[in-house]
Amino acid sequence: MWHFCDILGRVRHSPFIGLYLLGFWIAPVSLHPQCLDFKPPFKPQEDLQFCAMYRNFGCCDSAKDQELMAKFYKIMDNFDNYGYANCAGYVQDLLCQECSPYAAHLFDAEDPSTPIRTLPGLCPDYCSQFWLKCRSTITLLSDDLQLAQAEPDQVHFCQHLELEDPDYCYPHLLSNKQLTQNLGHVLADPEGCLQLCLEEVANGLRNPLAMVHANDGTHRFFIAEQVGLVWTYLPDRSKLEKPFLNITKAVLTSPWEGDERGFLGLTFHPNYKYNGKLYVYYSVEIGFDERIRVSEFRVSPGDMNEVDHASERIILEVDEPASNHNGGMVMFADDGYLYIFTGDGGMAGDPFGKYGNAQNKSALLGKVLRINVDDNDRGPLYRIPSDNPFVHERGARPEVYAYGVRNMWRCSVDRGDPLTKEGKGRIFCGDVGQNKFEEIDIIEKGRNYGWRAKEGFSCYDKKLCANSSLDDVLPIYAYPHKMGKSVTGGYVYRGCEYPNLNGMYIFGDFMSGRMMNLQENKNTGQWNYHEICMGIGLTCAFPGLINNYYQYIISFAEDEAGELYFMSTGVPSATSPTGVVYKLVDPSRRAPPRQCHYDPLPVRVKSKLIKFRPKETLTGVELPTKHQKLSPPEEPVRPHPTESAVSESDKDWLQELMDILKEQEAAVVTTTLPQTTTKPPKHTRRKNRRKKGKHRSESGLAPAAAPQSGAVRLAGDEQGRDDRGRVEIFVNGEWGTVCDDLWNMKNAAVVCRQLGFRFALKASKHSEFGEGKSLRILLDDVQCEGTEESLLDCQHTDIGIHNCAHYEDAGVICGNSDYVDA
């Protein structure tokens, strides 16, 4: 048994020593360590001298420990030797409970809006002994008038210090194994699913698929939307009103759910602070051809928060034979070279040529490319690194660094262990499978990653798979489509704030919404799998934390300090503003205060700032979350030489997505609060067509009594159909239009139900039903939950206040059946 001597020379046993070590433990649902600053406990950087029982894990650093020691001596100066001998231990015990991992419970401080106790909650037997021996210390320990009034009566006094939950009272919680044996570890539920929490960082985004930092000391982060907009966010999470980059006119995409084209990647040059260069990867249409393009831009010399759009230089273009499998990752690795990850060209099974694009080293599709873009202001836009593996191979493209890739979606570079730098420079990628397996790969120079011969560990093309010259490298992990159908690669956590997560490769699946992690076994070299779940019960009951997210996990990200984020959306469409950025949080242990402190460099802001307002909420124990409960994970797939090829009749992830979205249409109007919705309703898969229809004269009706405020009507449909049109609302005696900013299916559901229809089939934008130029714009930034009586009951700007024009007039298509009649 570990033991130590406290400041009074007494020998004590510590139930907390050794419990902060890395790992995870199955914990009871009620386990919720929390400090008085409403954050998780930590391991102090320096040994505590006074409250030594919490020197390995608790809520005090050395500064707080010294503060409590000073308070102790100030109190004990009022006593003679007899009083000191009788009461010093009690006074030390009570003062040091501020350092307990359960300080928030002991001081009844879980709710930040309620007053904190001045003395910790005591168990009745301990309280009675304290009162009998040392009641004279009460007024010195606390200035609580109610305690002072209760002090003469032992029963009344001890009742005042009782806790509602007796399991947490001091000192009995020290011997409660359920509360002490798991302290400091990542919690796991009985099925082994690791419980983490989230912090909402940004919202209202349209398919946010990249979040990057410039590594320039400002700690800004830049979020890219699929439509071709990149937004600047400051460290306080406020957003600049003016976009950092806007190439929406050049980017090829559509509102169709699951469209893989668009703005796909963004990275900053390692020397961006000095050269102002950044690189983007996006889809374009040239004549009748679709291409992927990698371009270089420079930041504007007059505004550090805006790109000089005229500075674009096209580094590379590759023809795309199909509209899917566009790849999209672009990044710099530790060697300073630019890595470009292309898809295999699309369709199914890489049908291009004898062996497919991915196995053809003379094609740029289905590859990891590596180029040198340094010193390119004169001469060629890029050069080939001399150590690229196929520079001297006849017929091979010299840009190729690795091949046999299907459609790698999201890759990252491991920063390495903060202390040992172990793992530094490894490149992790998620490669989306055909119709059986998804895989995680570590990219190495010159290696063949198997596609189309193999999918995961399984043979896909039997003839290619049997070829002895294949010499492919196997993934570090592959999972079957019962667990998910479109992997989203992630990051190895190397941040400062959550030490328990160090070394975990955290990734997800776009289709299933499953969050996962891999951790390397240093002895065997194998990667161990665990699923990540959102914390249940009180696990995430910290201010600002939530325990739910939208299903479609699009991408992961690191900030400049190395903390980990991910982006997901409720509607997988490039035009749906349901995208949210979340920060991953470990509720079991944090870094010590001030250890992760940094001072961002100042940012000169010329654009208006939009303050961040979180919209997501913590869900209770009984409430379902946006992330539906998923089936238990299967065992990791291991190599098996006899596995047969996949049937071509199996669905790929895109077809599966379409099937899911089709099923959702029938329940469009039943959408309730966002946090209790598994998947938001779908939008129609038609392109938005702008129609310049005539405005129906005052709805085409004979004069009648003025409608009630909040009434709506539909106008502008060229065929005069009454189930669709531009939304017009009656407010304060006049009709007006609604701006399509934040316009979504929940808003449309309110309108359609108000008009007597059962379903909202589409929330149309961009004045699809003509511009209501004869009317004022009355509503903007409308945000409904879907259950309101009228749009006026939803959140919106003040009547008549807006920052849009009539080309953004909103509309709807309603119906009493669950399909759109074109």
Side-chain angles (χ1 to χ4, degrees), residues 511-524:
M511 283 297 296
S512 67
R514 192 185 298 269
M515 193 89 67
M516 300 166 271
N517 95 81
L518 300 173
Q519 204 158 15
E520 186 177 17
N521 183 319
K522 303 296 174 56
N523 296 322
T524 65

Side-chain angles (χ1 to χ4, degrees), residues 664-671 681-682 745 749 758-762:
Q664 293 170 17
E665 285 184 339
V668 163
V669 187
T670 62
T671 303
K682 82 178 281 297
M745 290 298 287
R758 293 176 58 200
F759 298 99
L761 302 178
K762 182 178 182 182

Side-chain angles (χ1 to χ4, degrees), residues 213-284:
H213 62 85
N215 197 32
D216 61 355
T218 64
H219 289 264
R220 292 173 295 171
F221 53 95
F222 302 84
I223 299 178
E225 295 179 318
Q226 189 175 349
V227 291
L229 287 168
V230 179
W231 302 98
T232 305
Y233 288 79
L234 300 184
D236 65 358
R237 298 178 184 174
S238 57
K239 172 185 173 182
L240 271 63
E241 184 179 53
K242 190 174 184 180
F244 179 69
L245 176 67
N246 183 352
I247 55 171
T248 52
K249 292 182 179 179
V251 170
L252 173 64
T253 189
S254 77
W256 303 341
E257 287 91 344
D259 193 339
E260 298 179 30
R261 301 167 301 175
F263 189 103
L264 302 177
L266 167 69
T267 190
F268 289 83
H269 194 282
N271 292 321
Y272 171 80
K273 185 175 181 179
Y274 305 103
N275 64 25
K277 291 183 178 182
L278 59 142
Y279 298 83
V280 299
Y281 185 129
Y282 62 100
S283 305
V284 293

Side-chain angles (χ1 to χ4, degrees), residues 450-524:
W451 176 251
R452 75 183 184 199
K454 290 182 180 177
E455 179 187 9
F457 294 112
S458 170
C459 285
Y460 181 84
D461 183 319
K462 291 183 179 180
K463 290 184 179 179
L464 280 179
C465 193
N467 191 326
S468 60
S469 64
L470 186 65
D471 191 28
D472 62 317
V473 58
L474 295 175
I476 62 169
Y477 181 74
Y479 62 91
H481 278 192
K482 291 181 180 179
M483 292 170 59
K485 300 187 177 181
S486 182
V487 66
T488 300
Y491 284 78
V492 178
Y493 180 84
R494 300 297 190 184
C496 171
E497 295 180 14
Y498 305 108
N500 283 345
L501 304 185
N502 181 38
M504 289 187 182
Y505 177 72
I506 296 176
F507 64 106
D509 188 276
F510 174 80
M511 283 297 296
S512 67
R514 192 185 298 269
M515 193 89 67
M516 300 166 271
N517 95 81
L518 300 173
Q519 204 158 15
E520 186 177 17
N521 183 319
K522 303 296 174 56
N523 296 322
T524 65

Side-chain angles (χ1 to χ4, degrees), residues 645-817:
V646 180
S647 169
E648 285 289 336
S649 63
D650 290 347
K651 299 176 183 176
D652 66 8
W653 76 267
L654 183 57
Q655 183 59 51
E656 180 75 9
L657 171 62
M658 296 306 178
D659 292 345
I660 291 175
L661 293 169
K662 186 175 181 181
E663 292 171 4
Q664 293 170 17
E665 285 184 339
V668 163
V669 187
T670 62
T671 303
T672 56
L673 296 176
Q675 64 266 25
T676 61
T677 304
T678 301
K679 305 168 190 170
K682 82 178 281 297
H683 292 187
T684 178
R685 290 193 293 271
R686 293 193 303 154
K687 286 186 177 180
N688 285 338
R689 295 175 292 172
R690 292 185 60 174
K691 297 182 180 180
K692 298 288 185 179
K694 294 181 180 179
H695 178 265
R696 286 189 242 171
S697 174
E698 294 298 325
S699 78
L701 299 176
Q708 293 183 347
S709 190
V712 290
R713 68 187 185 192
L714 303 182
D717 180 53
E718 291 177 341
Q719 300 178 34
R721 291 168 290 189
D722 62 2
D723 64 348
R724 65 196 66 195
R726 180 178 61 252
V727 175
E728 297 179 357
I729 186 167
F730 190 83
V731 185
N732 298 335
E734 68 172 319
W735 286 97
T737 63
V738 180
C739 185
D740 67 11
D741 290 345
L742 305 181
W743 190 249
N744 60 28
M745 290 298 287
K746 291 178 183 177
N747 302 344
V750 172
V751 172
C752 291
R753 187 172 57 251
Q754 193 175 351
L755 293 170
F757 293 95
R758 293 176 58 200
F759 298 99
L761 302 178
K762 182 178 182 182
S764 71
K765 297 186 176 185
H766 309 304
S767 61
E768 180 179 346
F769 297 102
E771 300 178 11
K773 291 182 178 179
S774 63
L775 304 176
R776 285 205 307 146
I777 299 174
L778 296 182
L779 288 185
D780 191 9
D781 291 341
V782 180
Q783 299 179 68
C784 301
E785 299 291 355
T787 58
E788 294 86 346
E789 293 293 329
S790 78
L791 295 181
L792 294 183
D793 298 324
C794 306
Q795 294 184 36
H796 54 77
T797 57
D798 292 339
I799 303 299
I801 304 299
H802 63 86
N803 61 353
C804 53
H806 278 295
Y807 64 80
E808 295 171 279
D809 282 347
V812 296
I813 298 179
C814 307
N816 291 316
S817 59

Side-chain angles (χ1 to χ4, degrees), residues 14-46:
S14 173
F16 300 109
I17 290 181
L19 297 177
Y20 65 88
L21 298 176
L22 297 182
F24 59 91
W25 296 83
I26 295 176
V29 172
S30 60
L31 183 63
H32 185 232
Q34 187 179 21
C35 300
L36 292 178
D37 60 359
F38 313 110
K39 296 179 181 179
F42 54 88
K43 172 176 167 48
Q45 287 182 283
E46 301 176 17

